[in-house]
Amino acid sequence: METVKTLLQSAKSFFANNVAAILVALCFVAILWSTTFVSELPFKSYGDVWAHLAFVEELKKPLEEVGDPYFNTGSRDPHNGIYPVAIAKISQATGVSHIFLMQIFGIISFVAVYLTAIVAYRTFFPDRKNKHIDSIVLGIVMFLGWESYRLSYAGYFSLADIAIGIMFPHLFALALFNLAITAYYIVLKRQKEKKPIQKTIVIQLIVAFLSAAILLTHVITGVILMYTFLVFTGYYFLFEYKLRPPFVFFLNAIIPLLAVILCLFWPFYNFLDPFTKLQTIHTESPISSIFEMRDWFAVAAIMLVGVFSALVAKNRLITIWFFSVLFVLASYLYPVRISSYWRFFPVTLLSLSFLMTYWTSSLNRTMRTFILFMMLLFGFSSFVNKVDTIGYRQAVTPVSFDFLKEVPSDKMILSDPETSYLFSGITGHAVLVVNKTHWNPANHVISEERYKDSLAFWRENDETGSPYVIDKYNIEYVLINKKIYRNFNEYAVMLGSKYKMKELYQDKSYLLLQIIQD
């Protein structure tokens, strides 16, 4: 009875201290629930949604059969991390659709990012007294602070980005990121204060396991985590120990080493592939022009806000961390660009959010209310605008390709790269090719060859055109997207002149043909 009373008191105390955070989280969940299950926003957008669906569909197979999610050949995809594996296995065990589970896990991951950010913020700024105000401000700054700018990205820039791409594992990785940097900071503090080493070692092990989970969920976020560890370690080495740290301080180097060793035991893909085989974003030719010169003026504005916030917060560690990630982000302006520089942007916004929250919460009530009101006004207005302009570019839902049930699951379907990318993620069918930004880079050579063959398919040349491609890949089914190939009748006639064709399905968008082999 005494135990129950203690638990109830603890629960009451927890809710009393976190009621604002819980209410903010529920508000955001309501928004994401609406865009996900009412408007089905993720299914009406371009992006990596379909790729992640394809990964999960592939992971529902027995381990020994798991391979490339599109081509059934080549190396296992490095996206086969903890997040999609968990969804695939839960889907298998419960019989619940993996698409539905990805949506639910996306919302849960969002809540986890927000709540773990609060944990991190309170750890880095332990002197804060008004926790409710801080929780409200942090939620608004984190998810609406960048909303009014046009720049959008699938990972985490703003609430609209999360709503459009809620299925991605990025948020789950970022939630683990918040916990990892918080735990590592506690390790550094305990070592500085010469606390008992036994508990410190336990926390170090927790940091190592969290780091491994992040590396296996989203490897670039894991790399950014290691960079953050380096910044934190460097800060303590220079400013806390004055270049004379004790021996136990150097034992922190074991954390990333142990994390990598743990990753090597992951059975669903070779952890070393992203570092040895993948075609990373080359410094001379980045994956896309995400940051243009006008974007850099907005980033410069962020830097100024960060400077003003840092002057008020007076937290040297978080300030150094903010400028260190901004340094990598700004490498676009350097003669030699740092690979994947733009992936640092979500972490830049995270560190900025901590500084801005401290600054905004420290203002008097009138000024704070005005700033938050303007942020909400512009933020939600821009949210609606982004949803309208980005989310509904292509009206595709999971039922859009129900007609492909006519095709046996073990048969390849030939279509254009974009359409193949969409239906493969839903149906799990093998395809000839997908668009270049979403194939498995570990299969780069295979993908390039298939991409060229897919373009050659629509030529009449018997040596390099459709007959050659059909024989090479043993193709029996062709799906023509009428919106992409507007002269689809000409292609159908061309194929009909060479093969015995059977029309399996046709509507205003698609034409599905079966090639009848003699």
Side-chain angles (χ1 to χ4, degrees):
M1 190 65 181
E2 190 65 31
T3 304
V4 173
K5 185 182 291 186
T6 302
L7 289 174
L8 289 174
Q9 288 177 344
S10 299
K12 184 178 180 180
S13 176
F14 173 81
F15 282 105
N17 288 326
N18 296 281
V19 62
I22 293 171
L23 291 176
V24 171
L26 289 175
C27 288
F28 282 133
V29 167
I31 294 169
L32 296 179
W33 186 276
S34 173
T35 56
T36 301
F37 293 104
V38 178
S39 303
E40 290 192 305
L41 183 57
F43 296 110
K44 298 178 180 180
S45 64
Y46 288 114
D48 292 349
V49 170
W50 315 98
H52 291 282
L53 285 172
F55 303 146
V56 174
E57 184 68 27
E58 182 70 19
L59 288 165
K60 291 165 74 174
K61 298 178 181 178
L63 177 59
E64 60 274 10
E65 297 179 17
V66 173
D68 186 281
Y70 297 114
F71 307 145
N72 291 341
T73 183
S75 304
R76 289 177 177 175
D77 199 286
H79 291 87
N80 295 344
I82 292 174
Y83 189 80
V85 168
I87 293 173
K89 299 310 175 186
I90 294 173
S91 177
Q92 281 184 310
T94 62
V96 178
S97 164
H98 69 285
I99 297 175
F100 175 79
L101 286 174
M102 289 185 75
Q103 293 170 299
I104 292 296
F105 270 69
I107 295 175
I108 293 173
S109 296
F110 168 83
V111 174
V113 169
Y114 173 56
L115 296 182
T116 55
I118 291 176
V119 171
Y121 176 80
R122 291 177 181 177
T123 303
F124 292 125
F125 298 93
D127 60 327
R128 301 298 296 162
K129 298 211 173 13
N130 198 332
K131 296 179 179 179
H132 299 314
I133 294 295
D134 285 346
S135 298
I136 294 171
V137 174
L138 183 61
I140 294 173
V141 170
M142 278 187 68
F143 303 111
L144 294 174
W146 186 256
E147 192 70 74
S148 59
Y149 193 63
R150 65 168 193 88
L151 189 63
S152 184
Y153 167 61
Y156 150 59
F157 283 1
S158 64
L159 185 64
D161 296 305
I162 296 169
I164 293 167
I166 196 169
M167 296 181 184
F168 304 148
H170 303 65
L171 286 177
F172 178 70
L174 196 61
L176 297 179
F177 183 98
N178 288 334
L179 293 178
I181 62 173
T182 302
Y184 188 64
Y185 176 65
I186 292 173
V187 166
L188 293 172
K189 281 189 66 177
R190 289 182 62 84
Q191 290 173 341
K192 176 63 178 175
E193 296 168 1
K194 298 180 180 180
K195 295 286 183 68
I197 193 170
Q198 293 86 349
K199 187 175 180 180
T200 303
I201 291 175
V202 172
I203 300 174
Q204 286 175 315
L205 291 175
I206 293 173
V207 175
F209 276 96
L210 287 171
S211 302
I214 296 168
L215 285 165
L216 290 173
T217 300
H218 191 241
V219 67
I220 298 181
T221 300
V223 172
I224 299 171
L225 175 70
M226 298 304 168
Y227 178 77
T228 300
F229 285 169
L230 182 63
V231 172
F232 282 22
T233 304
Y235 168 81
Y236 265 79
F237 181 74
L238 292 173
F239 296 103
E240 298 294 336
Y241 291 110
K242 310 296 183 184
L243 306 179
R244 293 182 179 180
F247 173 76
V248 70
F249 177 78
F250 295 100
L251 295 180
N252 292 323
I254 297 175
I255 293 176
L257 178 63
L258 180 57
V260 171
I261 292 174
L262 290 171
C263 290
L264 294 177
F265 288 96
W266 185 246
F268 292 93
Y269 76 95
N270 185 344
F271 174 70
L272 296 179
D273 280 353
F275 303 96
T276 60
K277 293 183 179 180
L278 297 193
Q279 302 292 314
T280 57
I281 307 166
H282 196 271
T283 53
E284 273 76 43
S285 55
I287 194 169
S288 65
S289 57
I290 285 186
F291 288 110
E292 300 172 2
M293 191 51 63
R294 59 180 173 179
D295 301 321
W296 288 107
F297 286 107
V299 174
I302 276 188
M303 185 176 70
L304 290 176
V305 173
V307 170
F308 289 127
S309 301
L311 291 174
V312 175
K314 296 180 181 178
N315 187 310
R316 191 158 49 184
L317 174 61
I318 301 302
T319 301
I320 291 174
W321 177 39
F322 168 67
F323 282 105
S324 66
V325 288
L326 191 65
F327 172 81
V328 176
L329 187 65
S331 72
Y332 179 88
L333 304 174
Y334 307 161
V336 178
R337 185 176 306 147
I338 296 174
S339 183
S340 299
Y341 66 94
W342 50 277
R343 293 282 192 174
F344 280 72
F345 195 51
V347 178
T348 306
L349 292 177
L350 179 64
S351 56
L352 175 70
S353 296
F354 291 162
L355 294 171
M356 280 190 65
T357 297
Y358 191 101
W359 173 45
T360 307
S361 298
S362 301
L363 297 172
N364 62 64
R365 181 182 299 179
T366 303
M367 183 60 70
R368 182 175 63 233
T369 302
F370 174 75
I371 290 176
L372 293 181
F373 173 77
M374 296 303 293
M375 199 172 293
L376 285 170
L377 178 64
F378 285 102
F380 276 114
S381 298
S382 300
F383 169 80
V384 173
N385 181 58
K386 282 186 178 181
V387 165
D388 287 340
T389 58
I390 297 174
Y392 290 88
R393 289 178 180 172
Q394 183 160 357
V396 177
T397 68
V399 298
S400 298
F401 295 102
D402 275 357
F403 63 89
L404 291 180
K405 293 177 181 177
E406 298 282 335
V407 181
S409 59
D410 61 338
K411 297 295 183 181
M412 177 188 292
I413 302 176
L414 185 148
S415 188
D416 64 275
E418 188 64 33
T419 305
S420 298
Y421 169 58
L422 295 176
F423 74 74
S424 179
I426 295 176
T427 68
H429 278 290
V431 294
L432 178 63
V433 66
V434 294
N435 56 51
K436 288 189 175 185
T437 60
H438 296 104
W439 66 40
N440 179 358
N443 292 334
H444 185 73
V445 175
I446 297 173
S447 304
E448 283 284 5
E449 180 183 358
R450 284 172 171 248
Y451 190 80
K452 291 176 182 177
D453 287 341
S454 72
L455 297 178
F457 174 80
W458 305 104
R459 294 197 298 262
E460 294 190 32
N461 189 317
D462 288 350
E463 294 183 2
T464 60
S466 54
Y468 166 78
V469 176
I470 287 173
D471 291 341
K472 181 177 179 179
Y473 297 101
N474 192 28
I475 292 170
E476 297 181 35
Y477 297 89
V478 178
L479 177 63
I480 299 176
N481 188 330
K482 296 180 181 180
K483 295 179 181 179
I484 294 178
Y485 294 104
R486 298 187 183 279
N487 52 343
F488 62 92
N489 283 324
E490 296 179 12
Y491 291 116
V493 170
M494 183 267 286
L495 292 173
S497 66
K498 296 177 179 293
Y499 307 97
K500 184 178 179 181
M501 308 294 296
K502 179 182 178 181
E503 181 181 310
L504 297 181
Y505 177 84
Q506 183 171 191
D507 61 15
K508 62 181 182 180
S509 300
Y510 302 105
L511 172 62
L512 177 63
L513 301 172
Q514 181 181 9
I515 299 174
I516 309 297
Q517 300 286 357
D518 295 329

